[in-house]
Amino acid sequence: MRSLAVMTLLFCGLLSSGRGAAGESFRAAGFTFSDERGGFNLLSVSGSGHKLDPLVIVEEITDFGPVLLVIRADSDTLDLHRGKSGMTSTLNLSVIKVVINRTERAWSAFDMELREEENTPSPYGDGLSFGQMAGSERKLESDSFNIWHQLDEPLDRISFIDGGVDSGAAAQFTFQITDPTLQPVFFLLQEPRWLISGSPTRLAAGGPNPLSESLGQRP
């Protein structure tokens, strides 16, 4: 899995110290992706989001704190999702995310959370999730962490642990985004954590994350 991350970095010319411009946005798979909330640089987005052609998002995190990727659905995507008959179809995006650590500290854990509201955790019943509706095709992997805790309710969060990402290095994450009630805008919150006194500590205030009822481990 690491080979794809390396090839992506080479393609984007990111093995040097170069960085993307702040406030970048990219369009792919019927969505526009933006780093407008700050704290990280979005470097590229490509792919259709299908299983055999996943959405590949490349970014670098520069600040110590949670960062927010803004995702906006194109009008054509919303129309297609809702259908001419008014019946909705479930969004199912396969995603590979490559994240470069441009902070001065190594990361010992990495959290991601999907939200429909910027400042509010995704509530029970909104439908937005990390592949909860994908059934047996649900996929969750990382080349830098061996274990993950996944929480589907009452919020949608993944905590990757048992691994690390050195300063200047890249981590790759594979996951799915599903939503039967597609909204015009939703968010992916990302929180690196570093190791303090033997346990990963969140960069953001608010205490430790709740552990998931679903535990995964890399083969």
Side-chain angles (χ1 to χ4, degrees):
M1 292 297 293
R2 185 176 293 274
S3 60
L4 177 57
V6 172
M7 287 190 293
T8 305
L9 292 172
L10 285 169
F11 176 77
C12 296
L14 301 176
L15 292 182
S16 63
S17 60
R19 295 183 178 181
E24 286 284 357
S25 64
F26 296 88
R27 186 176 178 275
F31 295 86
T32 299
F33 302 80
S34 173
D35 61 9
E36 63 198 60
R37 293 299 190 270
F40 74 112
N41 296 317
L42 189 59
L43 300 169
S44 69
V45 183
S46 61
S48 66
H50 296 154
K51 182 178 180 181
L52 299 179
D53 181 29
L55 194 66
V56 179
I57 303 171
V58 184
E59 63 189 36
E60 56 182 7
I61 292 181
T62 58
D63 287 356
F64 290 113
V67 300
L68 205 65
L69 176 64
V70 183
I71 306 171
R72 294 182 174 89
D74 296 348
S75 58
D76 289 347
T77 301
L78 290 171
D79 291 342
L80 180 64
H81 173 75
R82 291 164 183 163
K84 294 181 179 180
S85 65
M87 298 294 290
T88 61
S89 59
T90 297
L91 173 72
N92 188 353
L93 286 177
S94 295
V95 182
I96 294 175
K97 175 178 279 295
V98 179
V99 184
I100 307 165
N101 180 1
R102 295 294 187 197
T103 69
E104 296 179 354
R105 294 191 183 186
W107 300 337
S108 61
F110 195 90
D111 295 351
M112 290 190 287
E113 182 182 319
L114 285 166
R115 293 183 172 185
E116 288 190 351
E117 299 291 338
E118 179 176 351
N119 298 312
T120 306
S122 180
Y124 178 84
D126 73 353
L128 183 64
S129 73
F130 288 104
Q132 189 174 2
M133 300 188 68
S136 61
E137 294 186 356
R138 194 176 192 179
K139 189 173 184 180
L140 185 60
E141 295 177 348
S142 175
D143 67 348
S144 299
F145 299 95
N146 295 311
I147 299 174
W148 52 91
H149 297 285
Q150 184 165 350
L151 189 69
D152 288 328
E153 305 296 352
L155 72 166
D156 299 290
R157 178 180 282 264
I158 306 170
S159 295
F160 291 90
I161 61 174
D162 188 26
V165 186
D166 291 334
S167 177
Q172 180 173 302
F173 304 93
T174 301
F175 56 91
Q176 288 166 279
I177 297 175
T178 55
D179 190 359
T181 61
L182 180 61
Q183 301 299 306
V185 183
F186 62 96
F187 307 89
L188 179 62
L189 184 145
Q190 302 169 92
E191 291 188 84
R193 293 186 277 161
W194 71 74
L195 194 65
I196 296 179
S197 300
S199 62
T201 300
R202 292 184 64 186
L203 300 183
N209 294 326
L211 291 182
S212 167
E213 296 178 357
S214 175
L215 177 66
Q217 185 166 358
R218 192 172 69 187

